[in-house]
Amino acid sequence: VQLQASGGGLVQAGGSLRLSCAASGYTINGDAMGWFRQAPGKEREFVAAISWGGSYTTYGVSVKGRFTISRDNAKNTVYLQMNSLKPEDTAVYYCAADPVGSPIVARRGPAEYDYWGQGTQVTVSS
């Protein structure tokens, strides 16, 4: 099982990035998927999650209204569209899979997630 996150980079404040998380070795169909981030010296923070049916999403307070999570089960890929980026969004972003077993649930706690990607760096300059 491998989750490969990509799409990170350096962007100016106010800009946008789109992260992708491609799964290999298994199918994400049946798992809720989430994005988390961790900045240096800080704890891992919940960013967004989406149910495996795609009908339910939930966001962290600091990103709500600016970020959008989506998924394409046929492509075995999850996305995170990040708009209006701020310097405080600078972090390593990780995708993760949660075999929650319900098509309408997406959980926020990192302990619920079984599989994790390697992370992609996002740096927002002021």
Side-chain angles (χ1 to χ4, degrees):
V1 175
Q2 186 174 13
L3 298 175
Q4 182 73 38
S6 62
L10 174 64
V11 64
Q12 287 189 332
S16 298
L17 282 174
R18 188 194 196 203
L19 305 184
S20 298
C21 174
S24 59
Y26 95 117
T27 176
I28 65 172
N29 196 6
D31 287 355
M33 300 296 294
W35 286 95
F36 295 80
R37 67 187 183 186
Q38 189 165 19
K42 295 188 177 181
E43 293 186 354
R44 189 162 294 191
E45 176 188 8
F46 170 76
V47 176
I50 186 168
S51 60
W52 68 257
S55 61
Y56 178 75
T57 57
T58 183
Y59 295 90
V61 172
S62 61
V63 307
K64 194 171 185 179
R66 299 187 296 121
F67 291 10
T68 302
I69 189 171
S70 61
R71 65 190 295 159
D72 186 336
N73 289 343
K75 294 183 178 180
N76 227 20
T77 302
V78 180
Y79 305 97
L80 184 69
Q81 178 66 44
M82 306 186 296
N83 298 329
S84 302
L85 283 161
K86 305 175 181 180
E88 50 263 44
D89 294 319
T90 295
V92 177
Y93 284 70
Y94 300 90
C95 62
D98 173 14
V100 64
S102 167
I104 59 170
V105 173
R107 299 188 286 193
R108 302 162 67 95
E112 311 292 355
Y113 290 75
D114 285 0
Y115 304 125
W116 291 81
Q118 85 292 354
T120 184
Q121 176 71 47
V122 171
T123 303
V124 184
S125 64
S126 57

